[in-house]
Amino acid sequence: MNTMQASTQDQRAPSRPFALVNARLIDPFSGLDQTGGVLIVDGKIADVGPHITEDAVGNADIGDCSGCVLAPGIIDMLVSAGEPGQEHRETLATASRAAAAGGVTTIVCVPNTEPVIDDVALVDFILRRARDTALVNVLPMAAMTKGLLGEEMSEIGLLHDAGAIAFAHGKTSIASARVMRNVLAYAKDFGALIVHHLEDASLSKDGVMNEGEVATRLGLRGVPSAAETIVLERDIRLVELTGGRYHAAQISCRASLDVIRAAKAQGLPVTCGVSINHLALNENDIGPYRTFFKMKPPLRAEDDRRAMIEGVASGDIDVIVSAHDPRGAEGKRRPFAEAADGAVGLETLLAAALRLYHNGEVELHQLLQAMTANPAKLLGLKSGRLAKGAPADLMVVDLATPWMVEPELLRSKSKNTPFVGARFEGRALLTLVAGRLVYNYAD
Amino acid sequence: MSLAVKASQAPFPHRHLLGIEGLSAAEIVTLLDLSEDAAKLGRQIDKKRDDLRGRTLINLFFEASTRTQSSFELAGKRLGADVMNMAIPTSSVQKGETLIDTAVTLNAMRPDLLVVRHHAAGAVELLSQKVDCSVINAGDGSHEHPTQALLDALTIRRHKGRIEGLIVAICGDIMHSRVARSNILLLNTLGARVRVVAPSTLLASGIERLGVEVYTSMWEGLIDADIVMMLRLQKERMVSSLIPSQREYFHFFGLDYDKLACAKPDALIMHPGPMNRGVEIDSNVADDQRSVIREQVEMGVAVRIAVLQALARHLPNQ
């Protein structure tokens, strides 16, 4: 791991033009899928297409990507990076190394830090820390309400101008419909995106896993999926009222997918995400009270997981996120009901998603779209595409490389992965951010 | 201006002034012309007339007011009326009397004119149905404040010579503002182009149906404006999470020189008062030579004299 860091440092900021050739270019943004290459100059994509070959790029340095997919780097819209306040779990530096190793070139950070990101100075802090310590792009979200208390709106306009990419509410929902209405209406004036966690606190109170047979057998209190769907339905009525741009951070059940479909059919500015955990795992994986499978929203029933896959395949679910949430032993080595929620996911997001492709459940194009082009569009980014002038945020992926998840090798400070010992097929071999090599599997 | 038929001679046909709604362009112009004369009167050494000699005017204010109440008081006195101010803390309302009981009680004192401000929309009209005298609305909730709209129009007309065709941007807390509603009605009636500028949370639902152009950006809403009319921001709006903070409000919606530069170079700066300097208006802008905020107060007295005169013509003689 140290070797890897050293060598990526050495290869930073190449001054010469650089070309990746003989790759299978996949760009969900434009629909491109053919053999070719990308020419990188000054951190940007100078040219892309089948005509970019070793012979065609003159004196540029060459990277041969034969047999590999070259695609835009992943934009992960839901990452908890620990800073500020929880640096023992994760820092922007460690999170960004984990991201780079997973083909993730942009992380969107949640505002439920300590202190809460509800002030322009804190947005500025994150941006500066990221610039100084992070290998990948870091885009902070700010809190919708002061202190995430759900009562007073935060300075959405000033925070937006300071660089807050969107507005979120951590792992809670705004309980007051009036406050939510005002936030949506006010944010609309600034074109700001609202990213909401869905959980009716009064319904989910004391619940620690999905409500149903498994919870009953384990003797654990359940959280009904209605706790999610109720908030989603309310929010959609408020979107209808205000016209604000709304993104459900994560949905986890079939009923929520139906609500999203109806809202989209109505033409409302509503989108949603799903975590890789809810695509790959279900409540049965908890087994003997394994706390690494405890998260918010909880892992649901198999039918809900099937629905999430259908949603990604049909495009009704726009975005796949890692929901990266590092937790140390102090949070996880506890009785299930008392353990912390959350799982790390930056390094396993791509590989776990590729399972859906290998199983024939979701087309590769659709899968990559949900991790590149769609988040880029939602956030108004220039990245997330293979296009001239776009930042050279790229990943080279071998769809077949077999590997196993060994927690102690994860770059994240916390090792709470639910994919312990999982055997995956496919991973990022190279990751580039603004043309800089930030990860090389060969190291 | 085709609407501005010289209608000064036309009598003002209403017994009450409850709002701008229902007034014709000619009636508004009549009041403005009368106000013009009253403004001259206010600049003479002898400001006294006897139009209301022997009449009783009661200022009934259920909501605190400084300038509106004092200008009605002054207007009444200049016209020779006996003026009585009903202060809220000592009024019967505190003892549980209903609005209508209060009205009936006051009516028994046989006043000729009743000037009423109340925190509930529609309360002044309700009261007018229960008394025999003329009633003037000095502000009812978020509904109307007709004399404010008249004094604003008078101030504009004195500077611009007309109302028709002017672009007037009304900026700030539109949702809770009776001043905005009365101004929208009056300015539209006289043919101005009215814009409202506010964050979405301070815009009233369906406001565009009142014939205004709606903007949520000051920089856009002020482009080519002839008149920039600022509204007062109540502190409660932050507690109720309609806006985040004073500093954010000032940054995006406070009138400073940067935003003012979008308006016409000779744009008038107006504010109904009382101002929150540094919240909705930059202190220097408030004192700029384009600011007519002090003149608005002067015209307030003139307009109220004119309204009292117009209504006095309908008061019964014995």
Side-chain angles (χ1 to χ4, degrees), chain B residues 109-163:
Chain B
M109 298 179 191
R110 301 195 163 274
D112 300 286
L113 292 146
L114 206 50
V115 175
V116 186
R117 169 171 289 188
H118 197 278
H119 49 81
V124 179
E125 187 177 353
L126 176 66
L127 195 144
S128 75
Q129 294 162 7
K130 306 294 171 188
V131 295
D132 301 316
C133 60
S134 285
V135 174
I136 299 167
N137 183 358
D140 63 326
S142 301
H143 177 224
E144 279 227 48
H145 191 358
T147 54
Q148 179 70 44
L150 287 165
L151 76 87
D152 289 339
L154 179 64
T155 309
I156 294 170
R157 202 178 71 168
R158 283 167 66 95
H159 282 269
K160 300 291 183 188
R162 66 193 168 107
I163 303 286

Side-chain angles (χ1 to χ4, degrees), chain B:
Chain B
M1 168 170 177
S2 56
L3 291 173
V5 284
K6 261 297 178 186
S8 300
Q9 295 78 14
F12 188 76
H14 305 280
R15 183 157 79 100
H16 307 299
L17 179 66
L18 299 175
I20 298 298
E21 184 158 31
L23 297 188
S24 67
E27 288 160 8
I28 291 168
V29 170
T30 299
L31 290 176
L32 294 181
D33 291 346
L34 267 175
S35 305
E36 203 75 65
D37 297 338
K40 285 181 198 133
L41 178 73
R43 291 183 177 183
Q44 292 169 13
I45 293 170
D46 180 4
K47 301 175 179 64
K48 200 80 173 177
R49 289 180 53 123
D50 58 2
D51 303 52
L52 293 183
R53 179 192 291 274
R55 304 288 189 183
T56 303
L57 183 157
I58 298 181
N59 268 331
L60 181 60
F61 278 62
F62 293 90
E63 210 181 62
S65 159
T66 312
R67 63 190 71 202
T68 305
Q69 183 176 331
S70 55
S71 69
F72 268 113
E73 182 177 355
L74 204 52
K77 285 178 171 167
R78 284 188 182 164
L79 292 175
D82 291 320
V83 181
M84 182 171 87
N85 289 320
M86 295 283 290
I88 316 151
T90 55
S91 82
S92 307
V93 178
Q94 303 292 322
K95 299 170 193 160
E97 192 176 73
T98 67
L99 176 67
I100 290 172
D101 287 339
T102 306
V104 170
T105 303
L106 284 172
N107 196 46
M109 298 179 191
R110 301 195 163 274
D112 300 286
L113 292 146
L114 206 50
V115 175
V116 186
R117 169 171 289 188
H118 197 278
H119 49 81
V124 179
E125 187 177 353
L126 176 66
L127 195 144
S128 75
Q129 294 162 7
K130 306 294 171 188
V131 295
D132 301 316
C133 60
S134 285
V135 174
I136 299 167
N137 183 358
D140 63 326
S142 301
H143 177 224
E144 279 227 48
H145 191 358
T147 54
Q148 179 70 44
L150 287 165
L151 76 87
D152 289 339
L154 179 64
T155 309
I156 294 170
R157 202 178 71 168
R158 283 167 66 95
H159 282 269
K160 300 291 183 188
R162 66 193 168 107
I163 303 286
E164 189 177 25
L166 294 179
I167 298 178
V168 183
I170 306 175
C171 311
D173 187 358
I174 306 292
M175 181 189 270
H176 302 90
S177 175
R178 52 191 171 221
V179 175
R181 280 169 181 73
S182 288
N183 263 309
I184 289 168
L185 290 166
L186 188 153
L187 293 166
N188 271 333
T189 304
L190 293 191
R193 265 179 69 190
V194 184
R195 298 173 180 171
V196 294
V197 187
S200 290
T201 44
L202 294 180
L203 283 168
S205 170
I207 188 88
E208 67 283 353
R209 302 291 296 272
L210 272 59
V212 297
E213 299 163 49
V214 179
Y215 291 84
T216 54
S217 157
M218 278 278 271
W219 288 273
E220 291 168 20
L222 292 196
I223 291 173
D224 290 335
D226 296 286
I227 311 294
V228 182
M229 195 180 279
M230 301 307 299
L231 298 173
R232 177 178 167 76
L233 183 78
Q234 311 276 349
K235 294 242 165 51
E236 302 89 83
R237 307 302 172 232
M238 273 156 276
V239 180
S240 54
S241 98
L242 289 168
I243 52 165
S245 65
Q246 281 191 10
R247 74 167 175 173
E248 171 145 334
Y249 187 78
F250 183 75
H251 183 86
F252 292 104
F253 294 97
L255 185 64
D256 54 17
Y257 281 112
D258 181 53
K259 301 184 191 87
L260 185 58
C262 300
K264 290 214 178 99
D266 61 346
L268 293 187
I269 301 161
M270 304 180 74
H271 193 299
M275 282 183 281
N276 292 305
R277 289 172 187 260
V279 179
E280 70 263 358
I281 189 163
D282 178 89
S283 202
N284 292 328
V285 171
D287 299 329
D288 190 279
Q289 54 185 6
R290 286 167 286 178
S291 165
V292 292
I293 296 169
R294 270 171 297 178
E295 189 179 334
Q296 285 175 273
V297 179
E298 183 187 352
M299 293 308 120
V301 179
V303 156
R304 279 147 194 149
I305 287 173
V307 167
L308 293 177
Q309 286 176 317
L311 294 181
R313 292 172 189 171
H314 298 283
L315 292 177
N317 293 308
Q318 297 316 120

Side-chain angles (χ1 to χ4, degrees), chain A residues 260-345:
Chain A
I260 290 283
R261 282 180 168 147
K264 289 186 167 185
Q266 211 185 322
L268 296 174
V270 169
T271 52
C272 73
V274 65
S275 90
I276 189 63
N277 302 315
H278 294 90
L279 288 168
L281 309 167
N282 69 25
E283 59 185 348
N284 294 301
D285 288 303
I286 291 169
Y289 303 97
R290 289 191 291 181
T291 60
F292 282 13
F293 294 81
K294 188 181 181 203
M295 53 195 74
K296 272 189 178 188
L299 292 173
R300 299 287 185 189
E302 176 61 10
D303 178 62
D304 292 313
R305 188 185 77 90
R306 302 294 328 163
M308 294 302 97
I309 294 171
E310 288 165 32
V312 172
S314 67
D316 291 312
I317 294 177
D318 305 86
V319 171
I320 302 173
V321 297
S322 70
H324 184 81
D325 194 357
R327 298 285 166 171
E330 79 284 0
K332 286 295 189 183
R333 209 170 291 157
R334 287 166 174 268
F336 192 88
E338 296 166 16
D341 295 296
V344 291

Side-chain angles (χ1 to χ4, degrees), chain A residues 119 146 151-158 161 178-179 182 185-186 189-190, chain B residues 198-201 216 238-245 247-248 251-253:
Chain A
D119 190 279
K146 291 172 189 163
E151 290 159 7
E152 290 180 48
M153 199 192 296
S154 60
E155 293 175 318
I156 288 173
L158 295 173
D161 286 1
R178 179 181 57 79
V179 173
N182 290 342
Y186 191 82
D189 296 345
F190 299 94
Chain B
S200 290
T201 44
T216 54
M238 273 156 276
V239 180
S240 54
S241 98
L242 289 168
I243 52 165
S245 65
R247 74 167 175 173
E248 171 145 334
H251 183 86
F252 292 104
F253 294 97

Side-chain angles (χ1 to χ4, degrees), chain A residues 10 27 48 52 66 68 118 123 143 161 198 253 274 292 376 380 386 400 418:
Chain A
D10 294 344
D27 180 28
V48 56
I52 304 295
S66 297
C68 291
D118 62 358
V123 171
D161 286 1
L198 305 174
C253 62
V274 65
F292 282 13
L386 300 181

Side-chain angles (χ1 to χ4, degrees), chain A residues 29 73-78 106 108 139 165 193 245 247 271-272 318-321 366-385:
Chain A
F29 201 96
I74 292 171
I75 299 165
D76 188 344
M77 277 185 67
L78 198 66
T106 298
V108 177
L139 302 175
I165 192 73
L193 180 69
R245 290 174 63 214
H247 178 76
T271 52
C272 73
D318 305 86
V319 171
I320 302 173
V321 297
Q366 194 78 37
L367 207 54
L368 292 176
Q369 178 162 279
M371 295 188 284
T372 59
N374 284 353
K377 285 178 196 164
L378 275 177
L379 301 170
L381 305 178
K382 288 183 185 143
S383 56
R385 70 198 72 180

